[in-house]
Amino acid sequence: MDPLSTLWETFFDWDSMRQALPEMLTVGLPNTLILAVTAALLGSVLGMLLAVAGISRTRWLRWPARVYTDVFRGLPAAATILLIGVGLAPLGMQVWGPNPYPLGILALSLIAAAYIGEIFRSGIQSVEAAQMEGARALGFSWGEAMRLVIIPQGVRRVLPAWVNQLIALIKDSSLVYFLGLVASQRELFRIGQDHAATTGNESALLLAGLFYLALTIPLTHAVNAIDRRLRQGRTGAVDPDDDAGLALAGETALPTTGRKDPR
């Protein structure tokens, strides 16, 4: 057979796609979003804690954060999901029953936290030291300066990289099928696999791929638009006579004659 004809018949069978489409919309898409969004939220919170611990001067905070990051970045995602999902399955059965989603979300969150933590750490460390000095000169404590000045600037600088990790997390959610899913728990990839196995045609897998593209491409363009808007707002909306506004907007406050140093 002609290779192009074989490719078309294998991956572009519209009837197979139509059969898989309703289940992907009603079951696969919601489950994929539940896995990805929940894991992204938990992973971002844990990643921020890892980032702050990773730049700490205290060894008992810095070293565990680095070991965690090295381990979970080095392990394949499938291996981590199996270790968590299978290794903790007896505990999971006692806590929430046979549902594999909590352990799957936990595994995805631990994986995401290792990468997001490094993204946040690089963003925080990219903020100029003068920003902290200016915030402290305005009377902020170290914690307030980090929370109100340094971390917002650092996160804004790495927003595209954070979204790239979110996109990777959406795709990694397909690996949860290793834990065994009943019909109502299947995500996009697993539904595509099942339809391909039933019909002997791979078109449902291509349809699942199109769903992933529909999720990730708008997300990329949206975050780029937000990033541009933030950069434009920073340059046009700050009063140059407002030192606090300058500090929060990412500009270095100029010293004022006669101002007392609160330190």
Side-chain angles (χ1 to χ4, degrees):
M1 294 181 64
D2 181 18
L4 290 179
S5 298
T6 303
L7 178 67
W8 183 266
E9 293 176 3
T10 303
F11 289 98
F12 295 92
D13 186 337
W14 307 118
D15 289 335
S16 296
M17 290 187 180
R18 271 199 302 270
Q19 292 176 13
L21 181 60
E23 198 170 14
M24 287 193 178
L25 284 173
T26 59
V27 178
L29 182 59
N31 287 338
T32 296
L33 291 175
I34 289 172
L35 289 168
V37 172
T38 308
L41 292 175
L42 295 176
S44 297
V45 173
L46 181 55
M48 180 58 70
L49 296 177
L50 287 171
V52 175
I55 62 176
S56 173
R57 296 181 180 179
T58 306
R59 292 182 179 179
W60 64 270
L61 286 177
R62 186 174 67 252
W63 288 2
R66 291 182 178 177
V67 170
Y68 175 98
T69 301
D70 290 340
V71 170
F72 281 94
R73 288 176 69 187
L75 285 174
T80 302
I81 290 173
L82 286 173
L83 283 171
I84 301 296
V86 178
L88 298 181
L91 177 61
M93 288 288 292
Q94 297 177 5
V95 177
W96 44 71
N99 187 358
Y101 267 35
L103 290 177
I105 290 172
L106 175 61
L108 290 173
S109 301
L110 294 177
I111 296 168
Y115 290 93
I116 293 174
E118 283 298 284
I119 291 172
F120 285 163
R121 183 183 64 81
S122 65
I124 292 170
Q125 290 184 321
S126 72
V127 178
E128 298 79 4
Q131 298 296 315
M132 175 62 79
E133 296 171 0
R136 295 302 298 273
L138 292 172
F140 291 2
S141 67
W142 184 89
E144 291 173 336
M146 287 292 293
R147 187 175 71 255
L148 300 175
V149 179
I150 305 301
I151 290 178
Q153 291 184 65
V155 171
R156 183 179 62 194
R157 294 182 182 188
V158 297
L159 193 59
W162 179 82
V163 173
N164 285 338
Q165 184 56 40
L166 178 58
I167 290 172
L169 190 59
I170 292 174
K171 294 183 290 185
D172 284 346
S173 66
S174 63
L175 298 175
V176 175
Y177 84 89
F178 284 136
L179 304 182
L181 302 174
V182 299
S184 62
Q185 296 172 337
R186 294 175 300 168
E187 32 66 46
L188 288 168
F189 181 75
R190 185 59 183 177
I191 291 176
Q193 261 192 334
D194 289 346
H195 276 271
T198 301
T199 63
N201 188 280
E202 308 296 330
S203 299
L205 285 172
L206 177 62
L207 180 61
L210 294 176
F211 270 96
Y212 285 112
L213 288 176
L215 290 173
T216 57
I217 291 177
L219 191 61
T220 302
H221 289 288
V223 75
N224 289 338
I226 292 172
D227 184 56
R228 286 194 301 270
R229 190 177 185 86
L230 287 173
R231 292 178 185 277
Q232 293 170 0
R234 182 184 63 179
T235 58
V238 178
D239 183 357
D241 295 326
D242 183 1
D243 288 346
L246 286 169
L248 293 174
E251 306 293 339
T252 304
L254 297 175
T256 304
T257 304
R259 171 175 290 181
K260 295 182 179 180
D261 188 346
R263 294 176 293 179

